[in-house]
Each structure stands twice: as structure tokens, then as C-alpha cells.
PDB file of all heavy atoms in Angstrom:
ATOM      1  N   ILE A   1    -108.129  54.345-140.203  1.00 98.00           N
ATOM      2  CA  ILE A   1    -106.808  54.616-139.610  1.00 98.00           C
ATOM      3  C   ILE A   1    -106.235  55.906-140.233  1.00 98.00           C
ATOM      4  O   ILE A   1    -106.168  56.051-141.434  1.00 98.00           O
ATOM      5  CB  ILE A   1    -105.843  53.444-139.845  1.00 98.00           C
ATOM      6  CG1 ILE A   1    -106.385  52.159-139.204  1.00 98.00           C
ATOM      7  CG2 ILE A   1    -104.445  53.760-139.313  1.00 98.00           C
ATOM      8  CD1 ILE A   1    -106.558  52.243-137.692  1.00 98.00           C
ATOM      9  N   VAL A   2    -105.809  56.783-139.342  1.00 98.00           N
ATOM     10  CA  VAL A   2    -105.146  58.028-139.754  1.00 98.00           C
ATOM     11  C   VAL A   2    -103.649  57.835-139.571  1.00 98.00           C
ATOM     12  O   VAL A   2    -103.205  57.414-138.483  1.00 98.00           O
ATOM     13  CB  VAL A   2    -105.629  59.222-138.931  1.00 98.00           C
ATOM     14  CG1 VAL A   2    -104.889  60.488-139.317  1.00 98.00           C
ATOM     15  CG2 VAL A   2    -107.141  59.427-139.079  1.00 98.00           C
ATOM     16  N   ALA A   3    -102.864  58.143-140.581  1.00 97.00           N
ATOM     17  CA  ALA A   3    -101.409  58.065-140.491  1.00 97.00           C
ATOM     18  C   ALA A   3    -100.855  59.440-140.135  1.00 97.00           C
ATOM     19  O   ALA A   3    -101.106  60.432-140.812  1.00 97.00           O
ATOM     20  CB  ALA A   3    -100.828  57.587-141.818  1.00 97.00           C
ATOM     21  N   ASP A   4    -100.103  59.481-139.056  1.00 95.00           N
ATOM     22  CA  ASP A   4     -99.530  60.723-138.557  1.00 95.00           C
ATOM     23  C   ASP A   4     -98.164  60.946-139.203  1.00 95.00           C
ATOM     24  O   ASP A   4     -97.216  60.178-138.949  1.00 95.00           O
ATOM     25  CB  ASP A   4     -99.388  60.649-137.024  1.00 95.00           C
ATOM     26  CG  ASP A   4     -99.067  62.001-136.411  1.00 95.00           C
ATOM     27  OD1 ASP A   4     -99.989  62.808-136.361  1.00 95.00           O
ATOM     28  OD2 ASP A   4     -97.921  62.204-136.008  1.00 95.00           O
ATOM     29  N   ILE A   5     -98.066  61.973-140.012  1.00 93.00           N
ATOM     30  CA  ILE A   5     -96.825  62.252-140.777  1.00 93.00           C
ATOM     31  C   ILE A   5     -96.354  63.640-140.357  1.00 93.00           C
ATOM     32  O   ILE A   5     -97.143  64.599-140.302  1.00 93.00           O
ATOM     33  CB  ILE A   5     -97.077  62.269-142.310  1.00 93.00           C
ATOM     34  CG1 ILE A   5     -97.842  61.005-142.729  1.00 93.00           C
ATOM     35  CG2 ILE A   5     -95.767  62.414-143.061  1.00 93.00           C
ATOM     36  CD1 ILE A   5     -97.141  59.712-142.527  1.00 93.00           C
ATOM     37  N   HIS A   6     -95.045  63.772-140.149  1.00 82.00           N
ATOM     38  CA  HIS A   6     -94.576  65.092-139.756  1.00 82.00           C
ATOM     39  C   HIS A   6     -93.718  65.740-140.858  1.00 82.00           C
ATOM     40  O   HIS A   6     -94.140  66.718-141.469  1.00 82.00           O
ATOM     41  CB  HIS A   6     -93.865  65.054-138.424  1.00 82.00           C
ATOM     42  CG  HIS A   6     -94.818  65.085-137.276  1.00 82.00           C
ATOM     43  ND1 HIS A   6     -95.336  66.262-136.780  1.00 82.00           N
ATOM     44  CD2 HIS A   6     -95.396  64.081-136.591  1.00 82.00           C
ATOM     45  CE1 HIS A   6     -96.204  65.982-135.814  1.00 82.00           C
ATOM     46  NE2 HIS A   6     -96.258  64.664-135.663  1.00 82.00           N
ATOM     47  N   PHE A   7     -92.542  65.256-141.113  1.00 76.00           N
ATOM     48  CA  PHE A   7     -91.648  65.994-141.991  1.00 76.00           C
ATOM     49  C   PHE A   7     -91.341  65.297-143.322  1.00 76.00           C
ATOM     50  O   PHE A   7     -91.105  65.961-144.316  1.00 76.00           O
ATOM     51  CB  PHE A   7     -90.317  66.300-141.285  1.00 76.00           C
ATOM     52  CG  PHE A   7     -90.514  67.166-140.063  1.00 76.00           C
ATOM     53  CD1 PHE A   7     -90.406  66.626-138.779  1.00 76.00           C
ATOM     54  CD2 PHE A   7     -90.823  68.497-140.200  1.00 76.00           C
ATOM     55  CE1 PHE A   7     -90.596  67.448-137.676  1.00 76.00           C
ATOM     56  CE2 PHE A   7     -91.018  69.320-139.084  1.00 76.00           C
ATOM     57  CZ  PHE A   7     -90.909  68.767-137.809  1.00 76.00           C
ATOM     58  N   HIS A   8     -91.346  63.988-143.351  1.00 89.00           N
ATOM     59  CA  HIS A   8     -90.904  63.290-144.571  1.00 89.00           C
ATOM     60  C   HIS A   8     -92.099  62.934-145.432  1.00 89.00           C
ATOM     61  O   HIS A   8     -92.887  62.083-145.113  1.00 89.00           O
ATOM     62  CB  HIS A   8     -90.103  62.039-144.219  1.00 89.00           C
ATOM     63  CG  HIS A   8     -89.084  61.703-145.261  1.00 89.00           C
ATOM     64  ND1 HIS A   8     -89.441  61.449-146.570  1.00 89.00           N
ATOM     65  CD2 HIS A   8     -87.740  61.622-145.209  1.00 89.00           C
ATOM     66  CE1 HIS A   8     -88.352  61.213-147.266  1.00 89.00           C
ATOM     67  NE2 HIS A   8     -87.304  61.345-146.487  1.00 89.00           N
ATOM     68  N   TYR A   9     -92.187  63.595-146.576  1.00 91.00           N
ATOM     69  CA  TYR A   9     -93.340  63.423-147.435  1.00 91.00           C
ATOM     70  C   TYR A   9     -93.475  62.008-147.972  1.00 91.00           C
ATOM     71  O   TYR A   9     -94.581  61.533-148.262  1.00 91.00           O
ATOM     72  CB  TYR A   9     -93.302  64.425-148.606  1.00 91.00           C
ATOM     73  CG  TYR A   9     -92.373  64.051-149.723  1.00 91.00           C
ATOM     74  CD1 TYR A   9     -92.869  63.536-150.909  1.00 91.00           C
ATOM     75  CD2 TYR A   9     -90.999  64.181-149.622  1.00 91.00           C
ATOM     76  CE1 TYR A   9     -92.061  63.189-151.962  1.00 91.00           C
ATOM     77  CE2 TYR A   9     -90.154  63.859-150.644  1.00 91.00           C
ATOM     78  CZ  TYR A   9     -90.683  63.359-151.811  1.00 91.00           C
ATOM     79  OH  TYR A   9     -89.845  63.017-152.857  1.00 91.00           O
ATOM     80  N   LYS A  10     -92.329  61.277-148.093  1.00 95.00           N
ATOM     81  CA  LYS A  10     -92.423  59.908-148.611  1.00 95.00           C
ATOM     82  C   LYS A  10     -93.207  59.003-147.685  1.00 95.00           C
ATOM     83  O   LYS A  10     -93.825  58.041-148.116  1.00 95.00           O
ATOM     84  CB  LYS A  10     -91.021  59.353-148.858  1.00 95.00           C
ATOM     85  CG  LYS A  10     -90.345  59.959-150.075  1.00 95.00           C
ATOM     86  CD  LYS A  10     -89.039  59.268-150.412  1.00 95.00           C
ATOM     87  CE  LYS A  10     -88.461  59.817-151.698  1.00 95.00           C
ATOM     88  NZ  LYS A  10     -87.175  59.139-152.074  1.00 95.00           N
ATOM     89  N   ARG A  11     -93.158  59.280-146.356  1.00 96.00           N
ATOM     90  CA  ARG A  11     -93.974  58.484-145.430  1.00 96.00           C
ATOM     91  C   ARG A  11     -95.474  58.676-145.733  1.00 96.00           C
ATOM     92  O   ARG A  11     -96.259  57.757-145.596  1.00 96.00           O
ATOM     93  CB  ARG A  11     -93.693  58.908-143.991  1.00 96.00           C
ATOM     94  CG  ARG A  11     -92.265  58.797-143.498  1.00 96.00           C
ATOM     95  CD  ARG A  11     -91.744  57.366-143.444  1.00 96.00           C
ATOM     96  NE  ARG A  11     -91.271  56.910-144.724  1.00 96.00           N
ATOM     97  CZ  ARG A  11     -90.085  57.243-145.279  1.00 96.00           C
ATOM     98  NH1 ARG A  11     -89.274  58.053-144.662  1.00 96.00           N
ATOM     99  NH2 ARG A  11     -89.730  56.730-146.450  1.00 96.00           N
ATOM    100  N   ALA A  12     -95.823  59.886-146.157  1.00 96.00           N
ATOM    101  CA  ALA A  12     -97.227  60.159-146.520  1.00 96.00           C
ATOM    102  C   ALA A  12     -97.597  59.359-147.767  1.00 96.00           C
ATOM    103  O   ALA A  12     -98.727  58.794-147.842  1.00 96.00           O
ATOM    104  CB  ALA A  12     -97.447  61.655-146.736  1.00 96.00           C
ATOM    105  N   LEU A  13     -96.721  59.321-148.745  1.00 97.00           N
ATOM    106  CA  LEU A  13     -96.990  58.547-149.964  1.00 97.00           C
ATOM    107  C   LEU A  13     -97.163  57.065-149.624  1.00 97.00           C
ATOM    108  O   LEU A  13     -98.075  56.392-150.113  1.00 97.00           O
ATOM    109  CB  LEU A  13     -95.878  58.742-150.960  1.00 97.00           C
ATOM    110  CG  LEU A  13     -95.519  60.173-151.360  1.00 97.00           C
ATOM    111  CD1 LEU A  13     -94.384  60.189-152.381  1.00 97.00           C
ATOM    112  CD2 LEU A  13     -96.724  60.914-151.893  1.00 97.00           C
ATOM    113  N   GLU A  14     -96.253  56.544-148.779  1.00 97.00           N
ATOM    114  CA  GLU A  14     -96.328  55.153-148.403  1.00 97.00           C
ATOM    115  C   GLU A  14     -97.575  54.825-147.598  1.00 97.00           C
ATOM    116  O   GLU A  14     -98.239  53.782-147.822  1.00 97.00           O
ATOM    117  CB  GLU A  14     -95.075  54.765-147.580  1.00 97.00           C
ATOM    118  CG  GLU A  14     -93.789  54.829-148.371  1.00 97.00           C
ATOM    119  CD  GLU A  14     -92.551  54.996-147.507  1.00 97.00           C
ATOM    120  OE1 GLU A  14     -92.707  55.041-146.263  1.00 97.00           O
ATOM    121  OE2 GLU A  14     -91.435  55.085-148.070  1.00 97.00           O
ATOM    122  N   ALA A  15     -97.943  55.743-146.726  1.00 97.00           N
ATOM    123  CA  ALA A  15     -99.144  55.527-145.895  1.00 97.00           C
ATOM    124  C   ALA A  15    -100.416  55.534-146.724  1.00 97.00           C
ATOM    125  O   ALA A  15    -101.311  54.729-146.526  1.00 97.00           O
ATOM    126  CB  ALA A  15     -99.224  56.604-144.797  1.00 97.00           C
ATOM    127  N   ALA A  16    -100.475  56.441-147.702  1.00 97.00           N
ATOM    128  CA  ALA A  16    -101.637  56.489-148.585  1.00 97.00           C
ATOM    129  C   ALA A  16    -101.760  55.174-149.364  1.00 97.00           C
ATOM    130  O   ALA A  16    -102.841  54.597-149.509  1.00 97.00           O
ATOM    131  CB  ALA A  16    -101.530  57.681-149.533  1.00 97.00           C
ATOM    132  N   ASP A  17    -100.633  54.700-149.888  1.00 97.00           N
ATOM    133  CA  ASP A  17    -100.654  53.449-150.638  1.00 97.00           C
ATOM    134  C   ASP A  17    -100.973  52.259-149.750  1.00 97.00           C
ATOM    135  O   ASP A  17    -101.520  51.254-150.225  1.00 97.00           O
ATOM    136  CB  ASP A  17     -99.298  53.209-151.313  1.00 97.00           C
ATOM    137  CG  ASP A  17     -99.048  54.178-152.487  1.00 97.00           C
ATOM    138  OD1 ASP A  17    -100.038  54.743-152.988  1.00 97.00           O
ATOM    139  OD2 ASP A  17     -97.876  54.352-152.866  1.00 97.00           O
ATOM    140  N   ALA A  18    -100.678  52.375-148.446  1.00 97.00           N
ATOM    141  CA  ALA A  18    -100.943  51.268-147.528  1.00 97.00           C
ATOM    142  C   ALA A  18    -102.391  51.210-147.055  1.00 97.00           C
ATOM    143  O   ALA A  18    -102.769  50.274-146.353  1.00 97.00           O
ATOM    144  CB  ALA A  18    -100.023  51.358-146.290  1.00 97.00           C
ATOM    145  N   GLY A  19    -103.179  52.207-147.432  1.00 97.00           N
ATOM    146  CA  GLY A  19    -104.582  52.145-147.100  1.00 97.00           C
ATOM    147  C   GLY A  19    -105.049  53.063-145.989  1.00 97.00           C
ATOM    148  O   GLY A  19    -106.184  52.952-145.524  1.00 97.00           O
ATOM    149  N   ALA A  20    -104.213  54.011-145.564  1.00 98.00           N
ATOM    150  CA  ALA A  20    -104.641  54.995-144.552  1.00 98.00           C
ATOM    151  C   ALA A  20    -105.873  55.737-145.045  1.00 98.00           C
ATOM    152  O   ALA A  20    -105.921  56.124-146.227  1.00 98.00           O
ATOM    153  CB  ALA A  20    -103.513  55.948-144.197  1.00 98.00           C
ATOM    154  N   ALA A  21    -106.825  55.964-144.190  1.00 98.00           N
ATOM    155  CA  ALA A  21    -108.033  56.703-144.571  1.00 98.00           C
ATOM    156  C   ALA A  21    -107.773  58.198-144.537  1.00 98.00           C
ATOM    157  O   ALA A  21    -108.538  58.948-145.168  1.00 98.00           O
ATOM    158  CB  ALA A  21    -109.182  56.339-143.630  1.00 98.00           C
ATOM    159  N   CYS A  22    -106.759  58.611-143.827  1.00 98.00           N
ATOM    160  CA  CYS A  22    -106.463  60.046-143.671  1.00 98.00           C
ATOM    161  C   CYS A  22    -104.991  60.221-143.360  1.00 98.00           C
ATOM    162  O   CYS A  22    -104.392  59.362-142.712  1.00 98.00           O
ATOM    163  CB  CYS A  22    -107.345  60.614-142.560  1.00 98.00           C
ATOM    164  SG  CYS A  22    -107.155  62.391-142.259  1.00 98.00           S
ATOM    165  N   LEU A  23    -104.427  61.310-143.846  1.00 97.00           N
ATOM    166  CA  LEU A  23    -103.048  61.673-143.531  1.00 97.00           C
ATOM    167  C   LEU A  23    -103.064  62.919-142.658  1.00 97.00           C
ATOM    168  O   LEU A  23    -103.667  63.919-143.012  1.00 97.00           O
ATOM    169  CB  LEU A  23    -102.285  61.956-144.811  1.00 97.00           C
ATOM    170  CG  LEU A  23    -102.291  60.889-145.899  1.00 97.00           C
ATOM    171  CD1 LEU A  23    -101.637  61.385-147.164  1.00 97.00           C
ATOM    172  CD2 LEU A  23    -101.636  59.616-145.392  1.00 97.00           C
ATOM    173  N   ARG A  24    -102.394  62.814-141.519  1.00 95.00           N
ATOM    174  CA  ARG A  24    -102.273  64.002-140.660  1.00 95.00           C
ATOM    175  C   ARG A  24    -100.955  64.646-141.002  1.00 95.00           C
ATOM    176  O   ARG A  24     -99.877  64.087-140.756  1.00 95.00           O
ATOM    177  CB  ARG A  24    -102.324  63.593-139.213  1.00 95.00           C
ATOM    178  CG  ARG A  24    -102.372  64.763-138.204  1.00 95.00           C
ATOM    179  CD  ARG A  24    -101.000  65.270-137.903  1.00 95.00           C
ATOM    180  NE  ARG A  24    -101.006  66.284-136.826  1.00 95.00           N
ATOM    181  CZ  ARG A  24     -99.963  67.044-136.533  1.00 95.00           C
ATOM    182  NH1 ARG A  24     -98.861  66.965-137.231  1.00 95.00           N
ATOM    183  NH2 ARG A  24    -100.045  67.914-135.542  1.00 95.00           N
ATOM    184  N   ILE A  25    -100.983  65.843-141.625  1.00 90.00           N
ATOM    185  CA  ILE A  25     -99.773  66.523-142.060  1.00 90.00           C
ATOM    186  C   ILE A  25     -99.876  68.019-141.803  1.00 90.00           C
ATOM    187  O   ILE A  25    -100.981  68.523-141.555  1.00 90.00           O
ATOM    188  CB  ILE A  25     -99.482  66.301-143.562  1.00 90.00           C
ATOM    189  CG1 ILE A  25    -100.641  66.881-144.401  1.00 90.00           C
ATOM    190  CG2 ILE A  25     -99.243  64.848-143.897  1.00 90.00           C
ATOM    191  CD1 ILE A  25    -100.331  66.910-145.893  1.00 90.00           C
ATOM    192  N   ASN A  26     -98.759  68.692-141.864  1.00 81.00           N
ATOM    193  CA  ASN A  26     -98.732  70.124-142.059  1.00 81.00           C
ATOM    194  C   ASN A  26     -98.100  70.311-143.433  1.00 81.00           C
ATOM    195  O   ASN A  26     -96.899  70.117-143.592  1.00 81.00           O
ATOM    196  CB  ASN A  26     -97.862  70.810-141.005  1.00 81.00           C
ATOM    197  CG  ASN A  26     -98.634  71.073-139.715  1.00 81.00           C
ATOM    198  OD1 ASN A  26     -99.834  70.867-139.681  1.00 81.00           O
ATOM    199  ND2 ASN A  26     -97.945  71.518-138.683  1.00 81.00           N
ATOM    200  N   PRO A  27     -98.863  70.713-144.458  1.00 75.00           N
ATOM    201  CA  PRO A  27     -98.341  70.823-145.794  1.00 75.00           C
ATOM    202  C   PRO A  27     -97.062  71.645-145.894  1.00 75.00           C
ATOM    203  O   PRO A  27     -96.157  71.338-146.664  1.00 75.00           O
ATOM    204  CB  PRO A  27     -99.507  71.414-146.587  1.00 75.00           C
ATOM    205  CG  PRO A  27    -100.715  71.024-145.855  1.00 75.00           C
ATOM    206  CD  PRO A  27    -100.329  71.022-144.400  1.00 75.00           C
ATOM    207  N   GLY A  28     -96.985  72.690-145.074  1.00 72.00           N
ATOM    208  CA  GLY A  28     -95.809  73.545-145.097  1.00 72.00           C
ATOM    209  C   GLY A  28     -94.520  72.891-144.620  1.00 72.00           C
ATOM    210  O   GLY A  28     -93.437  73.383-144.895  1.00 72.00           O
ATOM    211  N   ASN A  29     -94.659  71.769-143.918  1.00 77.00           N
ATOM    212  CA  ASN A  29     -93.484  71.072-143.431  1.00 77.00           C
ATOM    213  C   ASN A  29     -92.901  70.086-144.438  1.00 77.00           C
ATOM    214  O   ASN A  29     -91.878  69.449-144.198  1.00 77.00           O
ATOM    215  CB  ASN A  29     -93.818  70.249-142.169  1.00 77.00           C
ATOM    216  CG  ASN A  29     -94.065  71.152-140.970  1.00 77.00           C
ATOM    217  OD1 ASN A  29     -93.721  72.330-140.994  1.00 77.00           O
ATOM    218  ND2 ASN A  29     -94.647  70.580-139.900  1.00 77.00           N
ATOM    219  N   LEU A  30     -93.591  69.927-145.581  1.00 79.00           N
ATOM    220  CA  LEU A  30     -93.216  68.878-146.532  1.00 79.00           C
ATOM    221  C   LEU A  30     -92.046  69.285-147.427  1.00 79.00           C
ATOM    222  O   LEU A  30     -91.479  68.471-148.116  1.00 79.00           O
ATOM    223  CB  LEU A  30     -94.392  68.433-147.369  1.00 79.00           C
ATOM    224  CG  LEU A  30     -95.557  67.834-146.579  1.00 79.00           C
ATOM    225  CD1 LEU A  30     -96.673  67.427-147.500  1.00 79.00           C
ATOM    226  CD2 LEU A  30     -95.075  66.644-145.745  1.00 79.00           C
TER     227      LEU A  30
END
């Protein structure tokens, strides 16, 4: 499962801890 994250970096942290295999982000948007 890939977690789609756009602007809020904390969603990425939560998704990683929840077991997402991949984070879809734009690092510059964080």
C-alpha cells in the first residue's frame, strides 16, 4: 500500500508508522 501525502508532513510520519510500503510525496511541499 502506497500512502498519498501532499502537504502535511505529519500524515507521512503517521502513514509510515502504520505500515505503508511507500510514501507518495513532493519533498519540496513539506
Side-chain angles (χ1 to χ4, degrees):
I1 299 299
V2 178
D4 191 74
I5 312 295
H6 278 276
F7 298 107
H8 210 300
Y9 79 103
K10 287 189 176 180
R11 302 294 83 78
L13 306 181
E14 294 159 1
D17 288 340
C22 181
L23 306 174
R24 187 276 188 193
I25 62 171
N26 277 352
N29 289 346
L30 298 181

